[in-house]
Amino acid sequence: MKGGRLGRYKQKEELKISEQKLRDFTVNVFKAMGCPEADAELAADVLLAADLRGIDSHGVARLSGYVRLWEGGRLNPAPHIRIVHETPTTATVDGDRGLGLVTAPFAMNLAIEKARQYGSGWVSIRNSNHFGIAGYHALRAVEQEMIGYALTNASPLVAPTFSSERLLGTNPICYAFPAGSYPPVVVDMATSAAANGKLEVAERAGKPIPEGWVLDAEGQPTTDATAVKQGGTLLPLGSDRDHGSHKGFGLSAIVDILSGVLSGANYGPWVPPFVAYLQPVADQPGQGIGHFVGAMRVDGFRPVAEFKANMDQWITRFKQAKRVDNEQPVIIPGEPEYEAALDRRKNGIPLVEAVWQDLNALAAKFGITPP
Amino acid sequence: MKGGRLGRYKQKEELKISEQKLRDFTVNVFKAMGCPEADAELAADVLLAADLRGIDSHGVARLSGYVRLWEGGRLNPAPHIRIVHETPTTATVDGDRGLGLVTAPFAMNLAIEKARQYGSGWVSIRNSNHFGIAGYHALRAVEQEMIGYALTNASPLVAPTFSSERLLGTNPICYAFPAGSYPPVVVDMATSAAANGKLEVAERAGKPIPEGWVLDAEGQPTTDATAVKQGGTLLPLGSDRDHGSHKGFGLSAIVDILSGVLSGANYGPWVPPFVAYLQPVADQPGQGIGHFVGAMRVDGFRPVAEFKANMDQWITRFKQAKRVDNEQPVIIPGEPEYEAALDRRKNGIPLVEAVWQDLNALAAKFGITPP
């Protein structure tokens, strides 16, 4: 449900590039880093899914970030991913410092296989790196007529309620559900009130941000879009105690515990940063960052056709909901991203100037054809 | 993490009653309704857990509500609860219009048994009624060194983002995690910005409520504590689009789909009301209200001792978080409720006058000893 991000980039479509060109280029960058062919294709698929779905902050805009992590020796391009603990329906996977773009699909495939045999499968992943959009991983299960689940912790930027310290990431939660005649319902959301990207947009525009998004370094509310850069924190979903920020904190804690504590990855303030210029803190209790994925067969609960018929009724009813503003219907979670993908597959993927420059610099660095 | 509710009642402790007395009375009421002895004891245990944990809105304060549902012929006191669909780790249970206080523990026992055998277990429940606090059900799994999960849908009071129509309940989400030397971490939260109970407190005090809790009947923001009674709606967690209300809507949708659509219960605007004076709407697509519970063995992922040691470190670190106000530490989810239970087990359970009257009226109705 990230229509807002999509809208933001719509104004800037100076430059569009075809899915295939951008995909080929991305595969080549991952191969140049030393990823095996199949891993490079998989990692590119995850990034392209973000660009197609309009979640531009998590697509090729991050490619140079992965490269810098690799250059910093913090990312293994050819990991030996292995199952370190297992029951019929649960497992922990060690990602061997690989791309989350590769370790998370490995884990989801395992979860799907367990679900096929036993009804459900749940896999925690440690020793990994940023896994792209959670929705990609959850949607793999939907393709198998299953309900998909994907979580990840992330480097600390969010303060729990009553604190001004960065102890949690924007820790996203995603569930994806198959529907019948409609696209899947995909709830894919950061557990912070606002994403960091929104601050950057406001900063570039020289505009203040709404109260309730961030605290300054002293823990006071502010509308300064640069506050987090100056040592402030993002606020949990709910913004303040009166509006339920303890719930946003609780959700983020769930993600951190299932992804980090349960897998043996790092958690809380120890989660290593995505940006290569920040070093991981000392005395880490775990390995890398952590994810958690799961799959449940719909027909483990009721016949798929019945479920899908009721999903369609659910969606139809919510689309027909009484509107506050006649021009603005209720948005079904996942619908804007689905529509963006239809459009971008056909008309190409818009890139902002900064990302375009970034990709060309990567092409020069590796001596490969620019996108 | 409902410390706020606890504080509210602390001012009113005119009357305290021992856990045992209140429990015996509650068992007798359920028996008088026709519940078998074991069911009556179980249902009382769920309600008492709420009263002990300081979640007074979900304890014996609701007892007369269950009685009225029974009187209205909408609650079967002696249900034949049965498994209608099953795989090794998933199942759907039909509650036969029974108390959710009985059907949900039945389902959680099944989930725990599946988890014991296969690592995890997941059970959806249809044809049920209000199940008390989600935390009770999730904590049953924690007693077995498992992670517990419990969701339920509820009668519609919440409007999705961009709508002014009641389409969702306050649909709570609960995860409970075992810890080592600390009490379990229990995130148990409604997915609305504020609970209905908070509006009642403000109304009684003649005070306005913060913006961001409710919309009036025209879909406009208001600070009128009586707005929902006058046809308004509760807002999802996040309050407005700028602060992420689409995320609160998404969370509530997850709960509604897993509890209602997946089980074959009702969902969205069709979920039958808890209050007996409101009749269920016509043409219901499912049966009763729905729940969803689950359990995962911690040692399905890593040794329990390792997990607990890291949980303890997680909790310690968050308790030590830098404070905005020196007097107010970060609250670990579940900690206030744990402390309330210690206190109330020893010193008795405070009852407000209205609840006390209510229980005495029940005693008179059934000819049983008052608490």
Side-chain angles (χ1 to χ4, degrees):
Chain A
M1 219 166 146
K2 288 167 177 142
R5 299 192 197 176
L6 183 61
R8 156 155 61 92
Y9 287 105
K10 272 204 175 148
Q11 310 151 19
K12 303 204 176 189
E13 292 178 15
E14 302 97 271
L15 209 149
K16 280 189 178 176
I17 186 162
S18 79
E19 176 191 353
Q20 192 58 52
K21 264 196 186 164
L22 195 55
R23 182 181 296 273
D24 291 345
F25 172 76
T26 306
V27 169
N28 285 335
V29 170
F30 283 124
K31 280 165 71 177
M33 275 170 56
C35 295
E37 176 99 27
D39 285 6
E41 282 172 8
L42 181 56
D45 197 46
V46 184
L47 288 193
L48 263 288
D51 286 308
L52 285 168
R53 291 171 68 78
I55 310 169
D56 301 359
S57 55
H58 285 55
V60 294
R62 296 230 176 187
L63 191 50
S64 65
Y66 291 105
V67 170
R68 283 190 295 271
L69 272 185
W70 165 70
E71 288 174 323
R74 286 170 47 198
L75 194 156
N76 180 357
H80 175 52
I81 306 171
R82 63 204 172 90
I83 300 167
V84 291
H85 201 100
E86 195 172 17
T87 72
T89 66
T90 65
T92 294
V93 161
D94 187 308
D96 194 21
R97 298 187 304 119
L99 286 160
L101 310 172
V102 172
T103 64
F106 176 97
M108 184 49 104
N109 287 348
L110 181 60
I112 288 170
E113 194 43 53
K114 287 174 177 296
R116 198 168 280 132
Q117 280 191 60
Y118 298 101
S120 72
W122 308 89
V123 182
S124 70
I125 304 106
R126 72 182 189 212
N127 210 3
S128 186
N129 282 286
H130 193 279
F131 80 0
I133 50 168
Y136 177 89
H137 308 294
L139 279 166
R140 285 177 90 89
V142 170
E143 290 166 15
Q144 311 296 322
E145 309 285 30
M146 295 178 185
I147 294 166
Y149 190 43
L151 316 170
T152 185
N153 65 12
S155 39
L157 276 178
V158 178
T161 306
F162 301 130
S163 174
S164 58
E165 196 176 354
R166 297 174 175 186
L167 291 182
L168 292 158
T170 50
N171 296 2
I173 292 178
C174 178
Y175 264 107
F177 303 96
S181 53
Y182 290 103
V185 171
V186 185
V187 180
D188 181 2
M189 48 169 273
T191 51
S192 54
N196 219 0
K198 286 192 178 175
L199 306 186
E200 288 162 18
V201 174
E203 186 184 350
R204 277 199 295 272
K207 286 188 179 166
I209 53 173
E211 263 199 36
W213 285 10
V214 304
L215 297 180
D216 67 20
E218 280 71 47
Q220 297 306 311
T222 177
T223 60
D224 179 356
T226 67
V228 174
K229 284 190 179 170
Q230 295 174 43
T233 56
L234 290 174
L235 283 163
L237 177 59
S239 298
D240 59 36
R241 183 62 178 77
D242 259 358
H243 293 85
S245 69
H246 56 299
K247 300 180 182 183
F249 164 39
L251 291 167
S252 189
I254 290 167
V255 175
D256 200 31
I257 292 169
L258 288 175
S259 303
V261 180
L262 190 61
S263 68
N266 291 297
Y267 40 81
W270 294 284
V271 177
F274 178 71
V275 289
Y277 62 85
L278 289 177
Q279 287 306 306
V281 293
D283 297 324
Q284 291 192 315
Q287 295 178 286
I289 79 167
H291 321 304
F292 185 83
V293 297
M296 294 192 292
R297 264 168 48 194
V298 168
D299 68 1
F301 297 92
R302 65 186 300 203
V304 171
E306 286 181 16
F307 176 81
K308 287 188 172 178
N310 283 19
M311 281 300 292
D312 282 353
Q313 188 190 34
W314 191 98
I315 295 166
T316 301
R317 185 64 185 81
F318 277 80
K319 286 172 85 78
Q320 291 168 346
K322 189 180 161 194
R323 302 176 186 184
V324 174
D325 168 356
N326 242 342
E327 304 298 305
Q328 177 61 65
V330 164
I331 298 174
I332 303 301
E335 192 183 44
E337 293 83 353
Y338 182 84
E339 284 170 5
L342 290 182
D343 172 65
R344 291 177 172 200
R345 277 212 174 87
K346 191 174 155 202
N347 301 315
I349 293 166
L351 292 182
V352 296
E353 181 63 24
V355 173
W356 177 246
Q357 300 284 359
D358 220 28
L359 300 184
N360 277 279
L362 287 176
K365 175 196 291 276
F366 290 118
I368 57 181
T369 315
Chain B
M1 221 167 148
K2 289 167 175 143
R5 300 192 196 176
L6 184 61
R8 158 154 60 92
Y9 288 105
K10 271 202 176 147
Q11 308 151 22
K12 303 205 177 189
E13 291 176 17
E14 305 97 88
L15 209 148
K16 280 189 178 176
I17 186 162
S18 80
E19 177 193 354
Q20 193 58 53
K21 265 196 186 164
L22 196 55
R23 182 180 296 272
D24 291 344
F25 173 76
T26 305
V27 169
N28 285 336
V29 170
F30 284 124
K31 281 165 71 177
M33 276 170 55
C35 295
E37 175 99 29
D39 285 6
E41 281 172 8
L42 181 56
D45 197 46
V46 184
L47 288 192
L48 264 289
D51 286 307
L52 286 167
R53 290 171 70 79
I55 309 168
D56 301 359
S57 56
H58 284 55
V60 294
R62 296 230 177 188
L63 191 50
S64 64
Y66 292 104
V67 170
R68 283 189 293 271
L69 273 184
W70 166 69
E71 289 175 321
R74 286 169 47 198
L75 195 156
N76 180 356
H80 175 52
I81 305 171
R82 64 204 171 89
I83 301 167
V84 291
H85 201 100
E86 194 172 19
T87 73
T89 66
T90 64
T92 293
V93 161
D94 186 309
D96 194 21
R97 299 186 304 119
L99 286 160
L101 309 171
V102 173
T103 65
F106 175 97
M108 182 51 103
N109 287 349
L110 181 61
I112 288 170
E113 194 43 52
K114 289 174 176 296
R116 196 169 281 131
Q117 280 193 59
Y118 299 100
S120 71
W122 308 89
V123 181
S124 70
I125 304 106
R126 72 182 189 211
N127 210 3
S128 186
N129 282 286
H130 194 277
F131 80 0
I133 51 168
Y136 176 90
H137 308 295
L139 280 166
R140 285 177 90 89
V142 170
E143 288 166 18
Q144 310 296 324
E145 310 284 28
M146 296 179 185
I147 293 166
Y149 190 42
L151 316 171
T152 185
N153 65 13
S155 38
L157 276 178
V158 178
T161 306
F162 301 131
S163 174
S164 59
E165 196 176 356
R166 298 173 175 186
L167 291 182
L168 293 158
T170 51
N171 296 2
I173 292 178
C174 178
Y175 264 108
F177 303 96
S181 54
Y182 290 103
V185 171
V186 184
V187 179
D188 182 2
M189 48 170 273
T191 51
S192 53
N196 219 0
K198 285 192 178 176
L199 305 186
E200 288 162 17
V201 173
E203 186 185 349
R204 277 199 295 273
K207 285 187 180 166
I209 53 172
E211 261 199 36
W213 284 11
V214 303
L215 297 180
D216 67 18
E218 281 70 48
Q220 298 306 310
T222 176
T223 59
D224 178 356
T226 67
V228 174
K229 285 190 179 170
Q230 296 174 42
T233 57
L234 290 173
L235 282 163
L237 178 59
S239 297
D240 58 37
R241 183 62 178 76
D242 260 357
H243 293 85
S245 68
H246 55 299
K247 300 179 182 183
F249 165 38
L251 292 167
S252 189
I254 290 167
V255 175
D256 200 30
I257 293 170
L258 288 175
S259 303
V261 180
L262 190 60
S263 68
N266 291 297
Y267 40 81
W270 293 283
V271 177
F274 177 70
V275 290
Y277 61 85
L278 289 177
Q279 286 306 307
V281 292
D283 297 325
Q284 292 192 315
Q287 294 177 285
I289 78 167
H291 322 304
F292 185 83
V293 298
M296 295 192 292
R297 263 168 48 195
V298 167
D299 69 0
F301 297 92
R302 66 187 301 204
V304 171
E306 288 181 15
F307 176 80
K308 287 188 172 178
N310 284 18
M311 280 301 292
D312 282 353
Q313 188 191 32
W314 191 97
I315 295 165
T316 301
R317 184 65 184 82
F318 277 79
K319 286 172 85 78
Q320 291 167 346
K322 188 178 161 196
R323 301 175 186 186
V324 174
D325 168 356
N326 243 342
E327 305 297 306
Q328 177 61 64
V330 165
I331 297 173
I332 304 301
E335 194 183 43
E337 292 85 353
Y338 181 84
E339 285 171 4
L342 291 182
D343 171 66
R344 291 177 171 200
R345 275 210 176 88
K346 193 174 153 202
N347 301 314
I349 293 166
L351 292 183
V352 296
E353 181 64 22
V355 172
W356 176 247
Q357 302 282 1
D358 220 27
L359 301 184
N360 277 278
L362 287 176
K365 175 195 291 277
F366 290 118
I368 57 180
T369 316

